[in-house]
Amino acid sequence: MILITRREHFSAAHRLFRDNWDDQKNLDTFGNCSNPNWHGHNYNLFVTVKGEINPETGFVVNIKLLSKIIKENIISKIDHRNINIDVDFMKGKLASTENLAIGIWDQLEPLIKVLDIELHCIKLMETENNYIEYYGNK
Ligand code: NI
């Protein structure tokens, strides 16, 4: 078993808020991420998969294929979009990095499984200092 990671990048807007809270409580809880007029982050997404090496190719997975799957199913839906409004798999969810990492996992996991490899980790960096790692519902 060996692990391989592909990094992708996207920029997106969001707002962390609860509409049943007033602006002050949202600000106290979510800080600048509750700014009513949105703001953006430059996200780095690390998708780690694991499997056995194919003796014919020496690869666990063709990294170009993995990149294509991530771009078609995640990046194309989220890059330069508003996570709260535009992203189908985030509808009705609070647009936190935690929920976004889980949403990305749920999108990618079935697409990776059919390649005879396993999704191991979604690591999502919202800033240089803050990141989430999700290993599935374990
Ligand atoms: Ni934010």
Side-chain angles (χ1 to χ4, degrees):
M1 189 73 76
I2 194 161
L3 282 71
I4 183 167
T5 299
R6 173 72 188 182
R7 183 185 77 100
E8 301 287 348
H9 175 81
F10 60 91
S11 301
H14 79 158
R15 181 189 179 202
L16 295 182
F17 73 109
R18 303 199 64 90
D19 56 14
N20 57 335
W21 291 358
D22 63 21
D23 283 353
Q24 188 60 53
K25 185 166 181 183
N26 277 305
L27 182 65
D28 291 345
T29 304
F30 299 118
N32 287 339
C33 276
S34 78
N35 178 359
N37 290 330
W38 316 104
H39 65 279
H41 294 280
N42 294 310
Y43 292 87
N44 277 304
L45 169 63
F46 298 82
V47 176
T48 302
V49 300
K50 64 184 174 185
E52 302 298 336
I53 294 174
N54 178 329
E56 287 184 318
T57 61
F59 295 160
V60 175
V61 62
N62 187 319
I63 200 82
K64 282 187 181 172
L65 175 60
L66 183 60
S67 173
K68 184 169 181 275
I69 290 169
I70 300 166
K71 284 193 172 94
E72 287 181 358
N73 294 281
I74 305 296
I75 306 301
S76 68
K77 294 181 179 178
I78 201 166
D79 190 33
H80 288 70
R81 306 289 178 93
N82 183 315
I83 297 167
N84 297 67
I85 295 172
D86 300 325
V87 179
D88 56 0
F89 63 84
M90 291 301 290
K91 284 272 153 65
K93 297 177 189 169
L94 222 152
S96 65
T97 314
E98 289 88 334
N99 284 338
L100 187 52
I102 293 169
I104 291 169
W105 174 286
D106 289 343
Q107 294 298 299
L108 292 180
E109 199 271 338
L111 303 172
I112 285 171
K113 197 191 302 183
V114 298
L115 303 175
D116 281 337
I117 54 175
E118 276 181 63
L119 182 55
H120 176 69
C121 179
I122 296 295
K123 175 175 162 180
L124 186 60
M125 297 188 76
E126 187 184 70
T127 71
E128 283 183 9
N129 297 324
N130 301 330
Y131 63 87
I132 295 299
E133 290 171 283
Y134 183 61
Y135 295 90
N137 189 20
K138 296 168 187 159

